[in-house]
Amino acid sequence: MTFKELATKRFSVRKYTEEPVSEADIEYIMDCVRLAPSAHNFQPWNFLVVTSEEGKEKVRQCYNRPWFTNVPMFVLCFKSPNDSWVRTDDNKNHGDIDLGIAVEHLCLAAADRGLGSC
């Protein structure tokens, strides 16, 4: 598959199956995230994979939308601003850019495995 085909395959899903995501798929996706570039390779991010029913219910309490109710898992993405590279001439913290790139790697890796994301 070409990159353009992969990018075309990825779309924002609003209806999920309740089929669990395999451990192999989760490991593949998170390994792709690890490979994402970041400013000075600081990788100022943390990801939390939530698959338990208890954990998913806690996430749903934060964002109550109908399409959010039957997802098989959540991946919560966090920026670590204190771990981000800061450009010295204007103090621009690059953590938001780095996290955005890593999340795009996550979404494309999911699409590569035939999984949806939003």
mmCIF file of all heavy atoms in Angstrom, residues 6-17 19 21 25 29-30 33 47 63 67-68 70-77 100-118:
data_model
loop_
_atom_site.group_PDB
_atom_site.id
_atom_site.type_symbol
_atom_site.label_atom_id
_atom_site.label_comp_id
_atom_site.label_asym_id
_atom_site.label_seq_id
_atom_site.Cartn_x
_atom_site.Cartn_y
_atom_site.Cartn_z
ATOM 1 N N LEU A 6 -2.814 4.709 2.201
ATOM 2 C CA LEU A 6 -2.994 4.628 3.651
ATOM 3 C C LEU A 6 -3.668 5.886 4.187
ATOM 4 O O LEU A 6 -4.608 5.806 4.982
ATOM 5 C CB LEU A 6 -1.648 4.415 4.347
ATOM 6 C CG LEU A 6 -1.674 4.373 5.869
ATOM 7 C CD1 LEU A 6 -2.575 3.254 6.377
ATOM 8 C CD2 LEU A 6 -0.259 4.220 6.408
ATOM 9 N N ALA A 7 -3.212 7.042 3.748
ATOM 10 C CA ALA A 7 -3.807 8.299 4.200
ATOM 11 C C ALA A 7 -5.272 8.393 3.786
ATOM 12 O O ALA A 7 -6.110 8.909 4.527
ATOM 13 C CB ALA A 7 -3.013 9.484 3.650
ATOM 14 N N THR A 8 -5.599 7.868 2.615
ATOM 15 C CA THR A 8 -6.983 7.870 2.144
ATOM 16 C C THR A 8 -7.833 6.887 2.941
ATOM 17 O O THR A 8 -9.009 7.149 3.215
ATOM 18 C CB THR A 8 -7.035 7.508 0.647
ATOM 19 O OG1 THR A 8 -6.250 8.460 -0.076
ATOM 20 C CG2 THR A 8 -8.442 7.521 0.113
ATOM 21 N N LYS A 9 -7.231 5.783 3.353
ATOM 22 C CA LYS A 9 -7.943 4.750 4.111
ATOM 23 C C LYS A 9 -8.354 5.250 5.501
ATOM 24 O O LYS A 9 -9.370 4.844 6.037
ATOM 25 C CB LYS A 9 -7.028 3.523 4.228
ATOM 26 C CG LYS A 9 -7.631 2.336 4.913
ATOM 27 C CD LYS A 9 -6.642 1.167 4.897
ATOM 28 C CE LYS A 9 -7.205 -0.017 5.622
ATOM 29 N NZ LYS A 9 -6.258 -1.133 5.657
ATOM 30 N N ARG A 10 -7.546 6.131 6.100
ATOM 31 C CA ARG A 10 -7.828 6.640 7.433
ATOM 32 C C ARG A 10 -8.964 7.660 7.395
ATOM 33 O O ARG A 10 -8.980 8.536 6.559
ATOM 34 C CB ARG A 10 -6.575 7.309 8.019
ATOM 35 C CG ARG A 10 -6.661 7.376 9.536
ATOM 36 C CD ARG A 10 -6.250 8.707 10.129
ATOM 37 N NE ARG A 10 -7.072 9.843 9.817
ATOM 38 C CZ ARG A 10 -8.210 10.161 10.435
ATOM 39 N NH1 ARG A 10 -8.726 9.399 11.366
ATOM 40 N NH2 ARG A 10 -8.870 11.255 10.099
ATOM 41 N N PHE A 11 -9.919 7.501 8.284
ATOM 42 C CA PHE A 11 -10.996 8.479 8.391
ATOM 43 C C PHE A 11 -11.493 8.495 9.823
ATOM 44 O O PHE A 11 -11.193 7.598 10.604
ATOM 45 C CB PHE A 11 -12.137 8.171 7.406
ATOM 46 C CG PHE A 11 -12.866 6.882 7.694
ATOM 47 C CD1 PHE A 11 -14.040 6.875 8.425
ATOM 48 C CD2 PHE A 11 -12.369 5.671 7.228
ATOM 49 C CE1 PHE A 11 -14.702 5.692 8.688
ATOM 50 C CE2 PHE A 11 -13.016 4.492 7.481
ATOM 51 C CZ PHE A 11 -14.193 4.494 8.223
ATOM 52 N N SER A 12 -12.233 9.520 10.185
ATOM 53 C CA SER A 12 -12.756 9.645 11.549
ATOM 54 C C SER A 12 -14.003 8.799 11.692
ATOM 55 O O SER A 12 -15.020 9.069 11.056
ATOM 56 C CB SER A 12 -13.055 11.105 11.872
ATOM 57 O OG SER A 12 -11.859 11.837 11.885
ATOM 58 N N VAL A 13 -13.914 7.789 12.531
ATOM 59 C CA VAL A 13 -14.995 6.831 12.736
ATOM 60 C C VAL A 13 -15.957 7.364 13.799
ATOM 61 O O VAL A 13 -15.536 7.952 14.781
ATOM 62 C CB VAL A 13 -14.417 5.467 13.176
ATOM 63 C CG1 VAL A 13 -15.513 4.477 13.494
ATOM 64 C CG2 VAL A 13 -13.490 4.922 12.110
ATOM 65 N N ARG A 14 -17.238 7.135 13.584
ATOM 66 C CA ARG A 14 -18.237 7.504 14.580
ATOM 67 C C ARG A 14 -19.115 6.318 14.967
ATOM 68 O O ARG A 14 -20.024 6.451 15.757
ATOM 69 C CB ARG A 14 -19.122 8.654 14.065
ATOM 70 C CG ARG A 14 -18.380 9.963 13.929
ATOM 71 C CD ARG A 14 -17.899 10.448 15.285
ATOM 72 N NE ARG A 14 -17.282 11.756 15.217
ATOM 73 C CZ ARG A 14 -15.979 11.980 15.204
ATOM 74 N NH1 ARG A 14 -15.135 10.973 15.220
ATOM 75 N NH2 ARG A 14 -15.502 13.197 15.158
ATOM 76 N N LYS A 15 -18.826 5.150 14.400
ATOM 77 C CA LYS A 15 -19.550 3.938 14.766
ATOM 78 C C LYS A 15 -18.545 2.800 14.811
ATOM 79 O O LYS A 15 -17.953 2.446 13.804
ATOM 80 C CB LYS A 15 -20.659 3.639 13.758
ATOM 81 C CG LYS A 15 -21.535 2.482 14.171
ATOM 82 C CD LYS A 15 -22.698 2.295 13.224
ATOM 83 C CE LYS A 15 -23.574 1.162 13.730
ATOM 84 N NZ LYS A 15 -24.729 0.952 12.886
ATOM 85 N N TYR A 16 -18.369 2.263 15.998
ATOM 86 C CA TYR A 16 -17.376 1.226 16.226
ATOM 87 C C TYR A 16 -18.045 -0.105 16.516
ATOM 88 O O TYR A 16 -19.170 -0.157 16.991
ATOM 89 C CB TYR A 16 -16.495 1.580 17.430
ATOM 90 C CG TYR A 16 -15.648 2.800 17.215
ATOM 91 C CD1 TYR A 16 -16.126 4.076 17.522
ATOM 92 C CD2 TYR A 16 -14.366 2.692 16.712
ATOM 93 C CE1 TYR A 16 -15.340 5.199 17.327
ATOM 94 C CE2 TYR A 16 -13.575 3.807 16.511
ATOM 95 C CZ TYR A 16 -14.068 5.058 16.822
ATOM 96 O OH TYR A 16 -13.297 6.159 16.628
ATOM 97 N N THR A 17 -17.310 -1.173 16.300
ATOM 98 C CA THR A 17 -17.751 -2.477 16.781
ATOM 99 C C THR A 17 -17.239 -2.616 18.213
ATOM 100 O O THR A 17 -16.360 -1.866 18.650
ATOM 101 C CB THR A 17 -17.177 -3.632 15.940
ATOM 102 O OG1 THR A 17 -15.772 -3.722 16.171
ATOM 103 C CG2 THR A 17 -17.460 -3.432 14.460
ATOM 104 N N GLU A 19 -15.758 -5.317 19.154
ATOM 105 C CA GLU A 19 -14.707 -6.328 19.075
ATOM 106 C C GLU A 19 -13.416 -5.773 19.674
ATOM 107 O O GLU A 19 -12.984 -4.674 19.323
ATOM 108 C CB GLU A 19 -14.471 -6.708 17.611
ATOM 109 C CG GLU A 19 -13.443 -7.771 17.413
ATOM 110 C CD GLU A 19 -13.272 -8.106 15.944
ATOM 111 O OE1 GLU A 19 -14.199 -7.861 15.153
ATOM 112 O OE2 GLU A 19 -12.187 -8.607 15.599
ATOM 113 N N VAL A 21 -9.559 -4.950 20.454
ATOM 114 C CA VAL A 21 -8.368 -4.763 19.635
ATOM 115 C C VAL A 21 -7.312 -5.730 20.174
ATOM 116 O O VAL A 21 -7.092 -5.810 21.382
ATOM 117 C CB VAL A 21 -7.873 -3.308 19.706
ATOM 118 C CG1 VAL A 21 -6.603 -3.125 18.895
ATOM 119 C CG2 VAL A 21 -8.962 -2.352 19.231
ATOM 120 N N ASP A 25 -2.053 -5.796 17.658
ATOM 121 C CA ASP A 25 -2.372 -4.518 17.017
ATOM 122 C C ASP A 25 -1.994 -3.345 17.912
ATOM 123 O O ASP A 25 -1.436 -2.349 17.439
ATOM 124 C CB ASP A 25 -3.857 -4.447 16.655
ATOM 125 C CG ASP A 25 -4.215 -5.286 15.445
ATOM 126 O OD1 ASP A 25 -3.305 -5.658 14.671
ATOM 127 O OD2 ASP A 25 -5.417 -5.589 15.274
ATOM 128 N N ILE A 29 0.741 -0.496 16.895
ATOM 129 C CA ILE A 29 0.357 0.922 16.857
ATOM 130 C C ILE A 29 1.250 1.741 17.774
ATOM 131 O O ILE A 29 1.778 2.799 17.384
ATOM 132 C CB ILE A 29 -1.130 1.076 17.221
ATOM 133 C CG1 ILE A 29 -1.999 0.488 16.107
ATOM 134 C CG2 ILE A 29 -1.480 2.537 17.485
ATOM 135 C CD1 ILE A 29 -3.448 0.262 16.500
ATOM 136 N N MET A 30 1.453 1.271 18.999
ATOM 137 C CA MET A 30 2.252 2.041 19.949
ATOM 138 C C MET A 30 3.731 2.055 19.546
ATOM 139 O O MET A 30 4.434 3.028 19.822
ATOM 140 C CB MET A 30 2.057 1.505 21.369
ATOM 141 C CG MET A 30 0.619 1.634 21.875
ATOM 142 S SD MET A 30 -0.192 3.237 21.546
ATOM 143 C CE MET A 30 0.812 4.346 22.524
ATOM 144 N N VAL A 33 3.959 4.813 17.125
ATOM 145 C CA VAL A 33 3.966 6.087 17.854
ATOM 146 C C VAL A 33 5.375 6.383 18.362
ATOM 147 O O VAL A 33 5.868 7.508 18.263
ATOM 148 C CB VAL A 33 2.964 6.051 19.032
ATOM 149 C CG1 VAL A 33 3.151 7.242 19.955
ATOM 150 C CG2 VAL A 33 1.530 6.005 18.510
ATOM 151 N N PHE A 47 1.101 8.081 26.585
ATOM 152 C CA PHE A 47 -0.114 7.491 26.046
ATOM 153 C C PHE A 47 -0.618 6.462 27.040
ATOM 154 O O PHE A 47 0.156 5.682 27.579
ATOM 155 C CB PHE A 47 0.146 6.826 24.693
ATOM 156 C CG PHE A 47 0.446 7.817 23.609
ATOM 157 C CD1 PHE A 47 1.724 8.308 23.423
ATOM 158 C CD2 PHE A 47 -0.554 8.272 22.776
ATOM 159 C CE1 PHE A 47 2.009 9.232 22.435
ATOM 160 C CE2 PHE A 47 -0.294 9.198 21.783
ATOM 161 C CZ PHE A 47 0.992 9.678 21.617
ATOM 162 N N TYR A 63 -16.602 12.713 28.576
ATOM 163 C CA TYR A 63 -17.060 13.103 27.235
ATOM 164 C C TYR A 63 -18.228 12.208 26.867
ATOM 165 O O TYR A 63 -18.038 11.112 26.345
ATOM 166 C CB TYR A 63 -15.903 12.943 26.232
ATOM 167 C CG TYR A 63 -16.186 13.503 24.860
ATOM 168 C CD1 TYR A 63 -16.204 14.873 24.635
ATOM 169 C CD2 TYR A 63 -16.418 12.649 23.787
ATOM 170 C CE1 TYR A 63 -16.442 15.385 23.376
ATOM 171 C CE2 TYR A 63 -16.656 13.158 22.518
ATOM 172 C CZ TYR A 63 -16.672 14.519 22.316
ATOM 173 O OH TYR A 63 -16.911 15.026 21.072
ATOM 174 N N TRP A 67 -21.711 8.243 20.127
ATOM 175 C CA TRP A 67 -20.767 7.445 19.351
ATOM 176 C C TRP A 67 -19.579 6.989 20.182
ATOM 177 O O TRP A 67 -18.779 6.165 19.761
ATOM 178 C CB TRP A 67 -20.287 8.205 18.120
ATOM 179 C CG TRP A 67 -19.577 9.487 18.433
ATOM 180 C CD1 TRP A 67 -20.145 10.720 18.565
ATOM 181 C CD2 TRP A 67 -18.189 9.671 18.648
ATOM 182 N NE1 TRP A 67 -19.189 11.659 18.856
ATOM 183 C CE2 TRP A 67 -17.976 11.036 18.912
ATOM 184 C CE3 TRP A 67 -17.098 8.820 18.650
ATOM 185 C CZ2 TRP A 67 -16.719 11.568 19.175
ATOM 186 C CZ3 TRP A 67 -15.852 9.350 18.915
ATOM 187 C CH2 TRP A 67 -15.673 10.711 19.174
ATOM 188 N N PHE A 68 -19.471 7.490 21.398
ATOM 189 C CA PHE A 68 -18.368 7.180 22.295
ATOM 190 C C PHE A 68 -18.665 5.964 23.172
ATOM 191 O O PHE A 68 -17.804 5.507 23.901
ATOM 192 C CB PHE A 68 -18.169 8.412 23.192
ATOM 193 C CG PHE A 68 -16.747 8.798 23.477
ATOM 194 C CD1 PHE A 68 -15.841 9.006 22.467
ATOM 195 C CD2 PHE A 68 -16.330 8.984 24.778
ATOM 196 C CE1 PHE A 68 -14.540 9.387 22.744
ATOM 197 C CE2 PHE A 68 -15.042 9.364 25.070
ATOM 198 C CZ PHE A 68 -14.148 9.564 24.048
ATOM 199 N N ASN A 70 -19.604 2.678 22.546
ATOM 200 C CA ASN A 70 -19.276 1.282 22.265
ATOM 201 C C ASN A 70 -17.873 1.077 21.706
ATOM 202 O O ASN A 70 -17.602 0.079 21.051
ATOM 203 C CB ASN A 70 -20.305 0.668 21.304
ATOM 204 C CG ASN A 70 -20.171 1.209 19.900
ATOM 205 O OD1 ASN A 70 -19.736 2.332 19.700
ATOM 206 N ND2 ASN A 70 -20.550 0.415 18.925
ATOM 207 N N VAL A 71 -16.970 1.990 21.979
ATOM 208 C CA VAL A 71 -15.609 1.824 21.470
ATOM 209 C C VAL A 71 -14.908 0.679 22.203
ATOM 210 O O VAL A 71 -15.133 0.472 23.392
ATOM 211 C CB VAL A 71 -14.782 3.124 21.606
ATOM 212 C CG1 VAL A 71 -15.398 4.246 20.802
ATOM 213 C CG2 VAL A 71 -14.612 3.528 23.046
ATOM 214 N N PRO A 72 -14.081 -0.083 21.498
ATOM 215 C CA PRO A 72 -13.399 -1.200 22.156
ATOM 216 C C PRO A 72 -12.245 -0.754 23.052
ATOM 217 O O PRO A 72 -11.835 -1.468 23.946
ATOM 218 C CB PRO A 72 -12.894 -2.047 20.994
ATOM 219 C CG PRO A 72 -12.823 -1.115 19.838
ATOM 220 C CD PRO A 72 -13.881 -0.067 20.055
ATOM 221 N N MET A 73 -11.707 0.444 22.793
ATOM 222 C CA MET A 73 -10.612 0.950 23.622
ATOM 223 C C MET A 73 -10.441 2.444 23.399
ATOM 224 O O MET A 73 -10.910 2.996 22.398
ATOM 225 C CB MET A 73 -9.300 0.238 23.296
ATOM 226 C CG MET A 73 -8.786 0.510 21.896
ATOM 227 S SD MET A 73 -7.251 -0.345 21.504
ATOM 228 C CE MET A 73 -6.053 0.851 22.019
ATOM 229 N N PHE A 74 -9.803 3.078 24.346
ATOM 230 C CA PHE A 74 -9.405 4.478 24.218
ATOM 231 C C PHE A 74 -7.892 4.545 24.313
ATOM 232 O O PHE A 74 -7.274 3.756 25.036
ATOM 233 C CB PHE A 74 -9.982 5.330 25.361
ATOM 234 C CG PHE A 74 -11.468 5.480 25.336
ATOM 235 C CD1 PHE A 74 -12.255 4.765 26.222
ATOM 236 C CD2 PHE A 74 -12.086 6.335 24.447
ATOM 237 C CE1 PHE A 74 -13.632 4.902 26.227
ATOM 238 C CE2 PHE A 74 -13.458 6.477 24.433
ATOM 239 C CZ PHE A 74 -14.237 5.761 25.330
ATOM 240 N N VAL A 75 -7.309 5.500 23.616
ATOM 241 C CA VAL A 75 -5.912 5.832 23.820
ATOM 242 C C VAL A 75 -5.889 7.300 24.210
ATOM 243 O O VAL A 75 -6.220 8.172 23.404
ATOM 244 C CB VAL A 75 -5.046 5.594 22.563
ATOM 245 C CG1 VAL A 75 -3.597 5.967 22.850
ATOM 246 C CG2 VAL A 75 -5.150 4.156 22.087
ATOM 247 N N LEU A 76 -5.564 7.547 25.467
ATOM 248 C CA LEU A 76 -5.487 8.918 25.970
ATOM 249 C C LEU A 76 -4.080 9.436 25.706
ATOM 250 O O LEU A 76 -3.094 8.750 25.980
ATOM 251 C CB LEU A 76 -5.812 8.958 27.454
ATOM 252 C CG LEU A 76 -7.152 8.324 27.851
ATOM 253 C CD1 LEU A 76 -7.356 8.431 29.349
ATOM 254 C CD2 LEU A 76 -8.302 8.956 27.105
ATOM 255 N N CYS A 77 -3.999 10.650 25.161
ATOM 256 C CA CYS A 77 -2.726 11.212 24.725
ATOM 257 C C CYS A 77 -2.423 12.463 25.542
ATOM 258 O O CYS A 77 -3.265 13.355 25.635
ATOM 259 C CB CYS A 77 -2.799 11.578 23.244
ATOM 260 S SG CYS A 77 -3.441 10.238 22.209
ATOM 261 N N GLY A 100 1.031 16.144 18.246
ATOM 262 C CA GLY A 100 0.206 16.039 17.039
ATOM 263 C C GLY A 100 0.791 15.070 16.021
ATOM 264 O O GLY A 100 0.071 14.267 15.423
ATOM 265 N N ILE A 101 2.101 15.109 15.845
ATOM 266 C CA ILE A 101 2.759 14.191 14.917
ATOM 267 C C ILE A 101 2.617 12.757 15.420
ATOM 268 O O ILE A 101 2.314 11.838 14.649
ATOM 269 C CB ILE A 101 4.236 14.575 14.729
ATOM 270 C CG1 ILE A 101 4.349 15.940 14.029
ATOM 271 C CG2 ILE A 101 4.992 13.501 13.949
ATOM 272 C CD1 ILE A 101 5.746 16.541 14.066
ATOM 273 N N ALA A 102 2.822 12.545 16.717
ATOM 274 C CA ALA A 102 2.717 11.196 17.281
ATOM 275 C C ALA A 102 1.294 10.652 17.151
ATOM 276 O O ALA A 102 1.100 9.471 16.833
ATOM 277 C CB ALA A 102 3.149 11.213 18.753
ATOM 278 N N VAL A 103 0.294 11.502 17.368
ATOM 279 C CA VAL A 103 -1.098 11.061 17.236
ATOM 280 C C VAL A 103 -1.414 10.714 15.790
ATOM 281 O O VAL A 103 -2.128 9.742 15.518
ATOM 282 C CB VAL A 103 -2.073 12.120 17.802
ATOM 283 C CG1 VAL A 103 -3.513 11.811 17.440
ATOM 284 C CG2 VAL A 103 -1.912 12.219 19.310
ATOM 285 N N GLU A 104 -0.873 11.456 14.855
ATOM 286 C CA GLU A 104 -1.082 11.114 13.445
ATOM 287 C C GLU A 104 -0.440 9.761 13.126
ATOM 288 O O GLU A 104 -1.025 8.958 12.396
ATOM 289 C CB GLU A 104 -0.531 12.199 12.518
ATOM 290 C CG GLU A 104 -0.793 11.930 11.052
ATOM 291 C CD GLU A 104 -2.268 11.897 10.667
ATOM 292 O OE1 GLU A 104 -3.140 12.269 11.476
ATOM 293 O OE2 GLU A 104 -2.556 11.488 9.522
ATOM 294 N N HIS A 105 0.724 9.485 13.685
ATOM 295 C CA HIS A 105 1.314 8.153 13.528
ATOM 296 C C HIS A 105 0.375 7.087 14.089
ATOM 297 O O HIS A 105 0.194 6.028 13.482
ATOM 298 C CB HIS A 105 2.669 8.077 14.248
ATOM 299 C CG HIS A 105 3.830 8.479 13.413
ATOM 300 N ND1 HIS A 105 3.958 9.714 12.823
ATOM 301 C CD2 HIS A 105 4.947 7.791 13.091
ATOM 302 C CE1 HIS A 105 5.096 9.759 12.161
ATOM 303 N NE2 HIS A 105 5.710 8.606 12.306
ATOM 304 N N LEU A 106 -0.227 7.362 15.236
ATOM 305 C CA LEU A 106 -1.170 6.425 15.850
ATOM 306 C C LEU A 106 -2.347 6.163 14.910
ATOM 307 O O LEU A 106 -2.704 5.011 14.662
ATOM 308 C CB LEU A 106 -1.661 7.000 17.186
ATOM 309 C CG LEU A 106 -2.534 6.112 18.044
ATOM 310 C CD1 LEU A 106 -2.348 6.464 19.510
ATOM 311 C CD2 LEU A 106 -3.991 6.200 17.687
ATOM 312 N N CYS A 107 -2.935 7.217 14.379
ATOM 313 C CA CYS A 107 -4.101 7.068 13.505
ATOM 314 C C CYS A 107 -3.753 6.318 12.221
ATOM 315 O O CYS A 107 -4.518 5.454 11.772
ATOM 316 C CB CYS A 107 -4.688 8.436 13.165
ATOM 317 S SG CYS A 107 -5.425 9.296 14.569
ATOM 318 N N LEU A 108 -2.607 6.617 11.630
ATOM 319 C CA LEU A 108 -2.211 5.938 10.402
ATOM 320 C C LEU A 108 -1.846 4.476 10.673
ATOM 321 O O LEU A 108 -2.160 3.598 9.866
ATOM 322 C CB LEU A 108 -1.055 6.670 9.734
ATOM 323 C CG LEU A 108 -1.423 8.022 9.125
ATOM 324 C CD1 LEU A 108 -0.176 8.764 8.676
ATOM 325 C CD2 LEU A 108 -2.415 7.868 7.980
ATOM 326 N N ALA A 109 -1.213 4.203 11.816
ATOM 327 C CA ALA A 109 -0.899 2.813 12.168
ATOM 328 C C ALA A 109 -2.176 2.019 12.395
ATOM 329 O O ALA A 109 -2.269 0.854 11.994
ATOM 330 C CB ALA A 109 -0.008 2.781 13.412
ATOM 331 N N ALA A 110 -3.168 2.640 13.028
ATOM 332 C CA ALA A 110 -4.460 1.961 13.217
ATOM 333 C C ALA A 110 -5.087 1.649 11.865
ATOM 334 O O ALA A 110 -5.574 0.539 11.633
ATOM 335 C CB ALA A 110 -5.381 2.818 14.074
ATOM 336 N N ALA A 111 -5.073 2.617 10.956
ATOM 337 C CA ALA A 111 -5.633 2.386 9.621
ATOM 338 C C ALA A 111 -4.874 1.275 8.903
ATOM 339 O O ALA A 111 -5.480 0.443 8.217
ATOM 340 C CB ALA A 111 -5.586 3.680 8.802
ATOM 341 N N ASP A 112 -3.570 1.240 9.081
ATOM 342 C CA ASP A 112 -2.751 0.190 8.463
ATOM 343 C C ASP A 112 -3.168 -1.199 8.953
ATOM 344 O O ASP A 112 -3.074 -2.174 8.212
ATOM 345 C CB ASP A 112 -1.279 0.451 8.786
ATOM 346 C CG ASP A 112 -0.332 -0.474 8.055
ATOM 347 O OD1 ASP A 112 -0.619 -0.828 6.891
ATOM 348 O OD2 ASP A 112 0.695 -0.835 8.640
ATOM 349 N N ARG A 113 -3.675 -1.276 10.186
ATOM 350 C CA ARG A 113 -4.127 -2.543 10.757
ATOM 351 C C ARG A 113 -5.611 -2.782 10.524
ATOM 352 O O ARG A 113 -6.193 -3.721 11.058
ATOM 353 C CB ARG A 113 -3.836 -2.579 12.253
ATOM 354 C CG ARG A 113 -2.355 -2.509 12.587
ATOM 355 C CD ARG A 113 -1.588 -3.680 12.038
ATOM 356 N NE ARG A 113 -1.408 -4.672 13.061
ATOM 357 C CZ ARG A 113 -0.379 -5.481 13.155
ATOM 358 N NH1 ARG A 113 0.592 -5.409 12.260
ATOM 359 N NH2 ARG A 113 -0.298 -6.360 14.112
ATOM 360 N N GLY A 114 -6.257 -1.904 9.750
ATOM 361 C CA GLY A 114 -7.679 -2.072 9.460
ATOM 362 C C GLY A 114 -8.575 -1.592 10.578
ATOM 363 O O GLY A 114 -9.743 -1.963 10.650
ATOM 364 N N LEU A 115 -8.047 -0.726 11.451
ATOM 365 C CA LEU A 115 -8.809 -0.197 12.576
ATOM 366 C C LEU A 115 -9.150 1.258 12.348
ATOM 367 O O LEU A 115 -8.399 2.004 11.716
ATOM 368 C CB LEU A 115 -7.987 -0.342 13.869
ATOM 369 C CG LEU A 115 -7.575 -1.764 14.239
ATOM 370 C CD1 LEU A 115 -6.564 -1.741 15.372
ATOM 371 C CD2 LEU A 115 -8.802 -2.581 14.606
ATOM 372 N N GLY A 116 -10.256 1.679 12.898
ATOM 373 C CA GLY A 116 -10.674 3.063 12.790
ATOM 374 C C GLY A 116 -10.165 3.884 13.956
ATOM 375 O O GLY A 116 -9.725 3.367 14.975
ATOM 376 N N SER A 117 -10.207 5.184 13.800
ATOM 377 C CA SER A 117 -9.832 6.116 14.856
ATOM 378 C C SER A 117 -10.661 7.370 14.683
ATOM 379 O O SER A 117 -11.339 7.558 13.685
ATOM 380 C CB SER A 117 -8.333 6.423 14.792
ATOM 381 O OG SER A 117 -8.019 7.054 13.557
ATOM 382 N N CYS A 118 -10.596 8.228 15.667
ATOM 383 C CA CYS A 118 -11.273 9.525 15.515
ATOM 384 C C CYS A 118 -10.410 10.619 16.043
ATOM 385 O O CYS A 118 -9.404 10.405 16.654
ATOM 386 C CB CYS A 118 -12.612 9.529 16.221
ATOM 387 S SG CYS A 118 -12.513 9.458 18.000
#
